[in-house]
Amino acid sequence: MSLHEDPFSRQSAERLVAQYGSPLLIVDAERIRLQYRRLGVALPGVDLHYALKPLPHPAVVRVLGAQGAFFDLATSGEVDMVRSAGIAPARCIHTHPIKRDSDIRTALDFGVRTFIADNPDEIRKFIKYRNRASLLIRVAFRSPDATCDLSRKFGCEPEAVAALLRLAAEHQVEVEGLSFHVGSQTATPGMYVQAIKTCRNLLQQAMQEGFALRTLDIGGGFPADYVVTSTPIEEFCAPIIAALATLAPGLRLIAEPGRYLVADAALAVATVMGRALRDEQWWYYLDDGLYGSYSGRLFDHATFPLEALCGGTERFPSVLAGPTCDSIDIIAENIALPHLAVGDLIVGRSMGAYTWASATDFNLFPKAMVLTLDRGRLMTEED
Ligand SMILES: *Cc1c(COP(=O)(O)O)cnc(C)c1O
């Protein structure tokens, strides 16, 4: 990266805003590659399926595809995106536990074979596709220490797995393994270790009953750095790797990282549209806010590092507000900022995951434009 200008530098942000307008989400292909490689080293022997949900953008899919990544799809829209990016269906699994028949067919027609189920109804949906699909049973492990506990909404109790395996066998629907997702932005690896232990027992029981399960999918949830930094990924994954090493050999191991691969790979750039002095505090109104890229403050409970790209060295407690006419549209209060003027830029870091993806065009303020830079060059649709 040293030969090229950092796409997140002040000069780069200013030049891109001058050329393309504001607000922007600047995505750095090289940072995505670094995260992908780093997680690959931390989780040796585990196939990394990028979950598109945190940043469903074709450039991200192409960058990861070129690295040899696998993909985790949950909707027909995500199927269409990887298909257009030229990703082989054999590299993809479909992980939504609850699907319409049309969603299953879209994925099957693309060529995806592996799907997720967590209840009897969902298994029965595959009876008519039993020659073309196999299933992972998603098991729920409640995760009180994850920022987003995903096991409240999906997954079966570990005790329910045996009955689901029997039901699938009765209908000749193939089950190839188990999956879980301990929750997103998980603070500690303990829940993965516990889940792997329980799955080891479930896999053994299944074997004793004559079911040959060959895959374990340990989901996503790997933590990224925000204002509060997380445990370094190598340290975070070490106990997970130790737990995986206790499993029977020959199992295919899968993870579904989303956030970890993309969070720090995007810089959000917004422009001060106007300002007002209220109760002796400066309020700066930006062209991006809680209904836009900063939607992650609400939906993802994330606190993004924010800074002004201009202004003097003295700092004053200030308020950063979004552009819409809604009063909840406030990004940060009591934030120390220099005096800013209309046209000055504010950047948010670690803005790649669950930000632009959940942005709306409420009030018809358009979502930020996404620009992907690769070693100093803007990626186009041909890259
Ligand atoms: C959202 C999601 C992911 C990605 O989770 P992260 O916490 O972003 O790593 C992976 N798998 C499934 C099934 C998901 O719903």
Side-chain angles (χ1 to χ4, degrees):
M1 199 151 77
S2 57
L3 291 176
H4 312 278
E5 183 188 38
D6 182 356
F8 294 177
S9 70
R10 175 178 173 175
Q11 293 79 351
S12 164
E14 285 176 347
R15 198 183 56 244
L16 291 169
V17 165
Q19 199 171 348
Y20 297 95
S22 174
L24 293 178
L25 189 77
I26 303 175
V27 176
D28 178 10
E30 200 57 11
R31 280 179 168 88
I32 296 174
R33 292 187 191 105
L34 286 172
Q35 290 297 92
Y36 175 77
R37 290 189 203 125
R38 193 171 162 193
L39 188 58
V41 170
L43 286 176
V46 180
D47 288 342
L48 302 182
H49 285 251
Y50 171 56
L52 265 65
K53 181 176 53 176
L55 187 56
H57 193 277
V60 175
V61 171
R62 288 196 301 272
V63 166
L64 285 168
Q67 291 291 296
F70 296 82
F71 293 89
D72 165 0
L73 315 173
T75 63
S76 296
E78 292 178 358
V79 169
D80 290 342
M81 184 168 286
V82 296
R83 189 206 309 256
S84 309
I87 303 296
R91 305 190 78 77
C92 303
I93 59 175
H94 191 291
T95 64
H96 202 308
I98 307 290
K99 301 159 288 298
R100 291 166 293 202
D101 184 58
S102 58
D103 299 317
I104 298 173
R105 254 184 297 122
T106 301
L108 282 172
D109 290 347
F110 171 47
V112 174
R113 274 198 64 88
T114 304
F115 292 81
I116 302 270
D118 69 0
N119 70 80
D121 270 2
E122 208 65 21
I123 287 175
R124 288 192 197 98
K125 289 180 187 172
F126 285 89
I127 294 174
K128 61 181 171 179
Y129 303 121
R130 61 186 163 207
N131 298 321
R132 304 169 65 191
S134 75
L135 301 179
L136 301 173
I137 303 289
R138 177 152 162 186
V139 189
F141 297 99
R142 296 300 301 274
S143 228
D145 71 342
T147 309
C148 313
D149 178 4
L150 291 170
S151 284
R152 183 167 161 238
K153 185 166 169 184
F154 299 118
C156 66
E157 293 298 317
E159 296 73 34
V161 168
L164 291 175
L165 290 176
R166 278 182 229 123
L167 175 74
E170 214 174 281
H171 294 290
Q172 288 136 44
V173 173
E174 187 191 356
V175 177
E176 66 172 89
L178 304 177
S179 84
F180 60 80
H181 194 301
V182 296
S184 206
Q185 188 67 7
T186 314
T188 64
M191 190 51 76
Y192 291 85
V193 171
Q194 216 175 305
I196 291 165
K197 275 189 192 153
T198 304
C199 284
R200 183 182 60 190
N201 295 338
L202 292 171
L203 290 166
Q204 266 168 5
Q205 283 163 25
M207 183 132 76
Q208 281 156 11
E209 283 206 40
F211 301 109
L213 303 186
R214 57 182 188 278
T215 305
L216 178 64
D217 176 350
I218 65 170
F222 306 96
D225 289 340
Y226 293 96
V227 163
V228 177
T229 56
S230 298
T231 308
I233 200 69
E234 297 76 14
E235 199 180 312
F236 187 89
C237 289
I240 298 175
I241 285 300
L244 291 174
T246 67
L247 298 173
L251 216 52
R252 184 186 177 210
L253 300 173
I254 289 178
E256 305 167 353
R259 177 196 307 277
Y260 181 80
L261 298 182
V262 294
D264 89 335
L267 183 80
V269 188
T271 303
V272 176
M273 305 197 306
R275 60 182 191 179
L277 193 59
R278 299 185 189 287
D279 295 330
E280 292 164 30
Q281 265 202 3
W282 276 105
W283 282 59
Y284 300 107
Y285 300 82
L286 308 181
D287 55 9
D288 201 354
L290 230 55
Y291 286 94
S293 304
Y294 290 92
S295 57
R297 276 210 45 61
L298 268 185
F299 295 130
D300 192 39
H301 319 287
T303 309
F304 305 102
L306 292 159
E307 72 192 83
L309 284 190
C310 7
T313 49
E314 212 183 333
R315 296 284 184 275
F316 308 89
S318 314
V319 179
L320 284 179
T324 70
C325 300
D326 187 355
S327 59
I328 73 154
D329 190 4
I330 292 169
I331 300 167
E333 295 188 67
N334 255 314
I335 175 173
L337 291 173
H339 280 317
L340 299 175
V342 169
D344 284 350
L345 301 184
I346 294 282
V347 297
R349 298 188 188 274
S350 269
M351 288 284 291
Y354 305 108
T355 53
W356 179 82
S358 50
T360 71
D361 66 350
F362 177 56
N363 239 186
L364 297 188
F365 278 106
K367 285 171 69 157
M369 178 192 280
V370 178
L371 297 176
T372 308
L373 276 95
D374 189 5
R375 288 166 282 200
R377 209 173 53 82
L378 194 63
M379 280 180 71
T380 65
E381 280 176 26
E382 279 77 55
D383 284 301

